[in-house]
Amino acid sequence: MAGIKVFGHPASTATRRVLIALHEKDLDFELVHVELKDGEHKKEPFLSRNPFGKVPAFEDGDFKLFESRAITQYIAHEYADKGNQLLSPGSKSMAILAMGMEIEAHEFDSVASKLGWEQIFKNFFGLTTDQTVVKEEEVKLGKVLDNYEARLGESKYMASDHFTLVDLHHIPVIQYLLGTPTKKLFEERPHVSAWVADITSRPSSQKILV
């Protein structure tokens, strides 16, 4: 049976989310480059892998999947006995983990990704940063991080006292924002700052930097 393949771009935060999960599990994989600048993700053969035209797409032998957070959950469950444990056993712990993943996707990433787009990826595409949008989104992110600061005052990581998918899902966009003035929002909050330093220094986090 064929091995694991990730179809994506190494600079894409969603692609990086999957790559970190694979590294956490010490799994061998092939990254198949999809050139976003050329619009390869909006054409065949990529559309046969994800009809919504977004990276990454994923294959594990005959099993095919897209949506990065679904892929990381598959990796965590399918390879539970490999590498680092990314889940929390027990129904209540799993519910907290699921809640954390929802918060990351809908409260954190919706804002943080806009800041990443304005300050980093617009330059990638030759566009100009809108500082008004940056200021508006930083206010929103600050409110999210205030809640994170309270949560991280109670536990070392977002969903438990050990690193899980909830923490993992945050890493790629945080790595980008640490290279922008938005970095101050993380540094101003001691628990958040310690958490960010912890999760971004993991070997898996370092391996995906390009």
Side-chain angles (χ1 to χ4, degrees), residues 70-108:
I71 297 168
T72 62
Q73 290 180 70
Y74 165 77
I75 293 167
H77 285 277
E78 181 69 10
Y79 298 98
D81 60 337
K82 303 282 189 183
N84 296 315
Q85 177 59 259
L86 300 175
L87 303 170
S88 295
S91 58
K92 291 180 180 178
S93 294
M94 281 302 296
I96 291 172
L97 189 143
M99 178 178 70
M101 289 191 288
E102 289 291 315
I103 292 168
E104 181 276 328
H106 301 295
E107 302 293 341
F108 176 83

Side-chain angles (χ1 to χ4, degrees), residues 7 18 43 63 65 72 87 106-107 119 132 136-137 150 153 155 165 182 195 209:
F7 300 83
V18 172
K43 308 170 187 172
F63 182 66
L65 199 61
T72 62
L87 303 170
H106 301 295
E107 302 293 341
Q119 297 178 93
T132 301
E136 291 172 351
E137 297 303 320
S155 64
L165 288 176
T182 301
W195 170 70
L209 294 175

Side-chain angles (χ1 to χ4, degrees), residues 157 163 167 170-171 174 194-202 204-205:
Y157 296 99
F163 180 85
D167 308 290
H170 287 83
I171 293 171
I174 287 177
W195 170 70
V196 166
D198 184 310
I199 64 175
T200 58
S201 65
R202 294 177 72 84
S204 61
S205 304

